[in-house]
Every structure is written in structure tokens, then in C-alpha cells.
Amino acid sequence: MSDPVTLHDIYLARSRIAGQAARTPLILSQSLSARFDAEIYLKLETLQPSGAFKLRGALNKIASLAPEQLERGVTTASTGNHGRAVAWASKRLGARAIICVSELVPANKIAAIEALGAEARVIGRSQDDAFVEARRLVAEEGMALIEPFDDPLIAAGQGTIGLELMEDVPELDRVLIGLSGGGLLGGIGRAVKGINPKVHVTGVSMLEGAAMIESLAAGKPVEVEEEASLADSLGGGIGLDNRCTFELVREVMDDHHQVSEAAIARAMLHFFEHEKMLVEGAAAVGLAAIEEHGIDVRGEKVALIISGNGVDAETLMRAKTLIDYPAR
């Protein structure tokens, strides 16, 4: 079986999205580097025009569609950030977009989708429920389905982050990546290991509703009940008919940690108070894993993927109530 995503695919994606998605900064965190006796770098996907890494994959996929497909429009199911990315890319490329979301998606993320000119359609209690409506739109209205993760073009787009990491820190030792459907981790993992197989790829999920980890443990894609979390962008299933990311993640991920809501909250508040950044829970799980599991990164060059900024004041206040946040 050939690789669903190759290093060459990722280079092609970079060419396709150039000038639209941002080449985001990689900055050294002085506070985290001092705390963990390592070089801790932050990859700021929060600075994408849509506010999250998802724009890379969405642009790569939509830009590959034929003109007649663009005219019929595109649709997807999303926990928020992918929907914003599809809305942004569709507006840029002149396509109508309907974004199907579940009731668990925060109101601020729905508003952000609508602000970009797309229709947000709220369906059911899970991403799987929302996908039923998206697939109906494909079958009955001829819209093109833009998968959130399980598509080689989507994963290749996200993999362009890995190319940038290796260019900016050629001696990178480890990258910690939020793990949900696997497009982000799979794409980045393929890129960094394609350049240097010794780079250690660590995936991070929340404690409840971690579909990819449950699936890997079972040896096949399985259904997992979705749970509310500060890391809501990591929610959703991987699809029982997963064609790409299950095998990709199994191949490129070296280890994995699950983190508590309190650990996610502490990490979010660190970024707010010490890095002066507003980041969503899914963007903070790398730091949460290092803190909660005592990952020994001493002497290493480490990248944390700060994946998105889709957080509102209410969620940040809820994070603060979860913990007794110590002054540092």
C-alpha cells in the first residue's frame, strides 16, 4: 500500500497555498525554556488569517477543485476551526460554503464562521451527527465535501507546518501536537520524520472522548462518545471508514499522553498570563502534557504547536475556576 501522504505531497501543498496561508512565526518561549531547562519553541498558528492551522489544509483541498465543483459549493462538518478555515478559503476562492456543526461547538466559533460569509448549520450532539447533514448536501445538492482531516490533501496542507519547523530549527528534537482526527499530527509527523526520522512526535489528547487513541488501542477505527472539554477542537470521531489518518498517525506518532481539564486550564492560563497570548484549549495541550506527565525535555529543542485562538472570555474564566493557579 502506497503512502497516503508523502513528503512530496507536502511540498506541493506548500506551493499551492503560498501567498494565502501565512508562514507563521516560531518563537522561543523564555519562560518555558527556563522552567524546563530546554529550548521550548511556540509555533504560532494562531496568526493564520482564520485564527488556526486548519486554513492550510482547507486551502490546499479547495484550490485543487475543478471550477465546476467550486461553482456548486463546498460543505463540511466541523468543531469550529475547520469550519472557519473552509469559510475563509471558500470566500477567497469564490465558492459558497455551508458549515455543519454540532450543539457542542461554542457560540463564538459559530459566529466566526458566519462572519466570513458562510452558512453555519447546527445539527445534533456530535460531529458525526453534523456529518450526516454534510453528506446529504453532497448527495442531494452536489456540493464538494471538505473533510476536516481524513483526506491526503488536508493532511498534506497541515504538514507544511512541519517543513517550516525543520527550516527554522533544523536540529529539532521533539514536537508535541494536539491529536484529534490526525490530520495535523499525521501531516507534521510525515514532514519532520521525512526530513529527520529521529524527531520525536508526541501526540496529546484530552482524557474523555479521545477517538484516535481509543481507535489505535482497538486496532481499528471505533466510535467514542463526544464529551465537552476545554479542548473542544480535539472532539469528534475519526470515522469508521477512515482512509488516511488512522494509518498515518499509527506510523508517525512515537508516543501519546492524555491530559486532564485542570492541566489544560493551567496551560491556557500560562499562555495568557506569561506569554500574553489568547489560545484555545486544544492549542495548550502540549504544555499541559509536559507539566502533568513530567515529560523530561531537559536539553532538548522542543516545538509546541499553538494550533488556534478560538477562545472567548467566558471559556477563559471557566478555565480559571477549574484550578488554583499558582503564581510563577
Side-chain angles (χ1 to χ4, degrees):
M1 178 179 174
S2 61
D3 288 339
V5 180
T6 67
L7 191 58
H8 183 236
D9 293 328
I10 296 169
Y11 276 103
L12 290 175
R14 176 154 75 173
S15 177
R16 195 176 284 124
I17 70 177
Q20 300 185 89
R23 190 194 193 287
T24 55
L26 183 71
I27 66 169
L28 181 69
S29 168
Q30 299 292 345
S31 63
L32 293 177
S33 296
R35 190 195 309 177
F36 296 113
D37 191 23
E39 292 181 25
I40 308 291
Y41 293 91
L42 310 178
K43 182 60 169 167
L44 301 183
E45 288 297 294
T46 50
L47 298 182
Q48 288 293 351
S50 67
F53 75 93
K54 289 282 192 176
L55 185 60
R56 296 173 184 261
L59 277 168
N60 192 40
K61 177 66 176 182
I62 296 172
S64 74
L65 297 176
E68 56 269 25
Q69 289 179 300
L70 289 175
E71 189 172 339
R72 288 194 297 269
V74 301
T75 186
T76 194
S78 172
T79 54
N81 285 334
H82 179 63
R84 275 199 291 175
V86 171
W88 194 96
S90 299
K91 185 175 182 180
R92 184 70 172 255
L93 298 173
R96 172 186 175 221
I98 297 177
I99 314 301
C100 302
V101 300
S102 81
E103 296 168 4
L104 292 178
V105 173
N108 68 300
K109 292 190 175 183
I110 293 175
I113 289 168
E114 294 174 334
L116 289 166
E119 177 187 343
R121 196 168 287 185
V122 181
I123 304 289
R125 285 279 300 167
S126 72
Q127 187 166 342
D128 290 339
D129 292 339
F131 246 117
V132 172
E133 174 66 7
R135 295 190 189 283
R136 186 194 68 78
L137 290 168
V138 171
E140 297 183 10
E141 299 188 23
M143 302 186 89
L145 181 64
I146 311 302
E147 296 275 4
F149 51 86
D150 191 30
D151 183 313
L153 286 165
I154 296 291
Q158 323 307 19
T160 60
I161 296 170
L163 299 182
E164 295 171 16
L165 289 176
M166 298 306 294
E167 288 168 347
D168 291 345
V169 185
E171 296 178 346
L172 186 70
D173 294 301
R174 180 192 301 262
V175 57
L176 291 99
I177 310 167
L179 177 62
S180 179
L184 180 64
L185 186 144
I188 293 175
R190 173 67 80 219
V192 298
K193 285 183 175 290
I195 295 167
N196 178 9
K198 294 181 180 179
V199 177
H200 194 96
V201 175
T202 296
V204 188
S205 304
M206 62 282 203
L207 282 177
E208 304 295 334
M212 181 61 80
I213 288 308
E214 295 291 338
S215 297
L216 290 171
K220 63 180 181 179
V222 297
E223 290 184 351
V224 174
E225 185 175 351
E226 202 167 334
E227 301 284 347
S229 172
L230 287 170
D232 57 90
S233 294
L234 299 184
I238 70 166
L240 294 180
D241 60 346
N242 189 286
R243 305 176 308 279
C244 171
T245 57
F246 177 76
E247 291 297 337
L248 186 58
V249 168
R250 181 153 63 176
E251 181 178 342
V252 303
M253 186 170 71
D254 293 300
D255 63 353
H256 176 269
H257 296 281
Q258 290 175 267
V259 291
S260 67
E261 292 298 297
I264 297 169
R266 282 193 297 271
M268 291 174 70
L269 288 167
H270 167 86
F271 284 113
F272 180 69
E273 296 186 357
H274 296 278
E275 311 290 345
K276 307 306 178 188
M277 297 176 188
L278 275 173
V279 307
E280 61 190 71
V285 295
L287 172 57
I290 293 175
E291 289 187 322
E292 187 165 49
H293 294 281
I295 300 172
D296 186 1
V297 296
R298 287 174 297 176
E300 292 186 0
K301 298 179 189 295
V302 179
L304 306 181
I305 307 302
I306 312 304
S307 53
N309 64 11
V311 63
D312 57 13
E314 181 181 347
T315 302
L316 200 62
M317 290 302 296
R318 179 158 58 91
K320 198 166 181 62
T321 65
L322 280 176
I323 58 173
D324 178 19
Y325 189 67
R328 284 191 171 97

